Every structure is written in structure tokens, then in C-alpha cells.
Amino acid sequence: MLISFEGIDGCGKSTQIELLKGHLERDLGKRVHIYREPGGVPLAEELRNLLLDVRYTVDPISELLMFSSARSQLVQQQIKPDLENGVVVILDRYYDSTTAYQGYGRGVLPLEDIHRLNSWASHGLVPDITYYLQLSWEEANNRMTHRDPDRMERSGTDFFERVISGYNELAKTEGRICTIDASKSIDEVFAVVLSRLEDLK
Ligand code: TYD
């Protein structure tokens, strides 16, 4: 099974991913691997360092292709073999991030081109379920004040408003996406995660 988590920076994905991993392992006896995007394998981690480094000004098409390159490598090197071995894979971001950030946020190419590239870079691998943790930019920003922002996080309010509307549009059209109000408590969000997982069975 392939599960992805999406949402803007600061929406609480990592906490929910850890909770879900614990549940799947302890209560259901599953083997679970978590990968973050971009990253998860050495080549993709190198690309991640370049993509988030504040010293670089990255051309939007270069950015799109680098995120996609990192994804292709992760899918081929880890995700596909894991799924073949019966491992549950949880992804901290997947190609919906590219649609939201590069497609809607940067507005770099027509969406149909982004979708085509996403399908290449993911080698056609579609998540069984995607949790979208929906949060306003104000709230996400409040949660992030303690962090030193990376290159993506410095993209500004208008950019993040476009990313959020991109996620909202995606959630309307993609049946696999489960939208959860991420302003709720950790426990309340996790209860929704679990109930939607039950529906899958
Ligand atoms: P990360 O620190 O993992 O962010 P978060 O903790 O919020 O998940 O950094 C990944 C950044 O890269 C994040 O700002 C989202 C962005 N991103 C894209 O712009 N496009 C993509 O395809 C992916 C996977 C991530």
C-alpha cells in the first residue's frame, strides 16, 4: 500500500506520519517505510540539499525538473521494490506537491504538462490514499516562526496562497485525496486519518 501526505510547510505532516507508522506496525503488524520528498535515497537527498539551499537562485523549470528527478530515483530505487515486498510505504510529499508548488505556486507550465511530467517521474505509481492536511498560510506561518526558513519557505505569502488554492483544487478533482482540517488537535486529525484508512480496507 502507498500512502502520501500533503500540505503546506508547517501543517503537521511529520507528526501524523509517525503516528500512522506506529499504528500500522504495532496494531496491524505491517512493515512500514517512510520516505520524504525530495529525498529518501542518496541521490535524491543531494538534490534536496541543492533545492533548499538559500544560496541558489533556481530557475523555475530547473526546480521542476530537479524535484521530478529526485522522485523518479526514489520510486525506482526504493518505493517499487518495497511495494513488491509487501512493505507499506508512507510518503512525506509526492507528486501533488509538484502540482501545488511548481504548477500553481510558480505557475511554471500549463497544468497538463505538470501532470504528464508527474506521471513520468512517478513511473505511473499512484497513491492508494493521499491525506491533505489543510491549513491557512497565517496559521502555518505562526507555527514556523522558530525555524530558519529554507529557500522554498522564503517564497512569500502570495506564492503560498497559490499553493494552498492548488491543493484545494486538486482535492476537489482527485478522489484519492482526503482533506483534513489541520488546525484541529493532533488527536483529532489522527482520528480522521485512521477512519479513512478503515474505509480503504
Ligand atoms: P521540507 O523541509 O521537506 O518541507 P516540509 O517539512 O514542509 O515537508 O522541504 C520540502 C520543500 O520542497 C517544501 O517547501 C515543499 C517543496 N516541494 C516542492 O516545491 N515540490 C515538490 O515536488 C516537493 C516534493 C517539495
Side-chain angles (χ1 to χ4, degrees):
M1 189 191 296
L2 181 62
I3 302 170
S4 62
F5 279 78
E6 294 286 350
I8 55 167
D9 310 62
C11 69
K13 287 184 276 80
S14 318
T15 308
Q16 294 299 324
I17 287 171
E18 283 304 325
L19 288 172
L20 181 57
K21 178 177 196 277
H23 166 74
L24 290 169
E25 287 177 339
R26 262 194 330 269
D27 305 332
L28 302 180
K30 304 273 189 200
R31 281 185 299 151
V32 179
H33 289 173
I34 297 172
Y35 301 108
R36 66 173 180 182
E37 271 227 54
V41 290
L43 181 73
E45 288 289 333
E46 296 281 359
L47 286 165
R48 176 191 180 86
N49 290 336
L50 296 171
L51 278 162
L52 300 184
D53 193 325
V54 295
R55 290 174 304 167
Y56 299 122
T57 302
V58 184
D59 162 71
I61 295 278
S62 304
E63 182 181 278
L64 171 69
L65 295 174
M66 286 168 77
F67 278 115
S68 301
S69 299
R71 175 163 313 125
S72 169
Q73 189 68 28
L74 175 64
V75 168
Q76 291 297 75
Q77 199 175 330
Q78 285 290 354
I79 302 178
K80 280 200 170 170
D82 278 355
L83 293 176
E84 277 158 23
N85 289 323
V87 173
V88 176
V89 175
I90 306 180
L91 295 179
D92 186 342
R93 301 190 176 282
Y94 196 37
Y95 56 74
D96 296 320
S97 285
T98 302
T99 308
Y101 282 73
Q102 281 66 51
Y104 285 87
R106 302 279 191 235
V108 55
L109 282 180
L111 286 175
E112 60 261 31
D113 290 336
I114 300 273
H115 291 313
R116 196 168 306 129
L117 180 56
N118 284 345
S119 151
W120 290 341
S122 61
H123 299 265
L125 206 57
V126 178
D128 295 290
I129 184 161
T130 298
Y131 294 105
Y132 163 39
L133 306 192
Q134 188 180 46
L135 197 64
S136 71
W137 170 236
E138 294 73 42
E139 192 147 354
N141 216 10
N142 289 341
R143 292 185 186 184
M144 287 199 304
T145 44
H146 57 284
R147 295 213 305 225
D148 186 24
D150 61 38
R151 190 184 63 82
M152 293 304 296
E153 287 164 351
R154 291 176 191 214
S155 301
T157 302
D158 290 352
F159 172 80
F160 278 100
E161 294 294 0
R162 288 194 297 274
V163 172
I164 290 170
S165 61
Y167 272 130
N168 292 342
E169 284 302 313
L170 267 177
K172 274 190 224 154
T173 52
E174 291 284 343
R176 72 184 152 79
I177 299 183
C178 162
T179 304
I180 307 178
D181 178 357
S183 67
K184 295 232 161 76
S185 73
I186 290 173
D187 289 349
E188 284 172 310
V189 172
F190 190 55
V192 183
V193 169
L194 284 189
S195 76
R196 285 302 295 261
L197 200 64
E198 284 295 316
D199 296 346
L200 264 192
K201 286 182 197 157

